[in-house]
Amino acid sequence: MPGKDMDRIRARSALETAKEQPVITAIAVLPVLAVLGVVWALAGFGWALLLLLIIAGVVVWKGKLFG
């Protein structure tokens, strides 16, 4: 199916970009890390871990990461 081939091409391109330019990846991840840091500082490690699991679950469920 052509759609699956295009998704593989996009995923491979994104992975190659992340490997070649780690600064771009760091900039993309920085807001999530900042929010987790603030939650950790204000509410504790458990709440930050729960928030991280919820964010990861939503990303996977919506298919933005592996879709």
Side-chain angles (χ1 to χ4, degrees), residues 2-18:
K4 289 190 177 188
D5 291 334
M6 187 56 133
D7 291 341
R8 288 182 186 158
I9 292 170
R10 284 184 178 176
R12 189 169 291 142
S13 297
L15 186 59
E16 288 176 10
T17 301

Side-chain angles (χ1 to χ4, degrees), residues 35-59:
V35 168
L36 288 174
V38 169
V39 170
W40 189 343
L42 294 177
F45 174 74
W47 288 108
L49 183 62
L50 180 64
L51 180 63
L52 179 64
L53 291 174
I54 290 171
I55 290 171
V58 168
V59 167

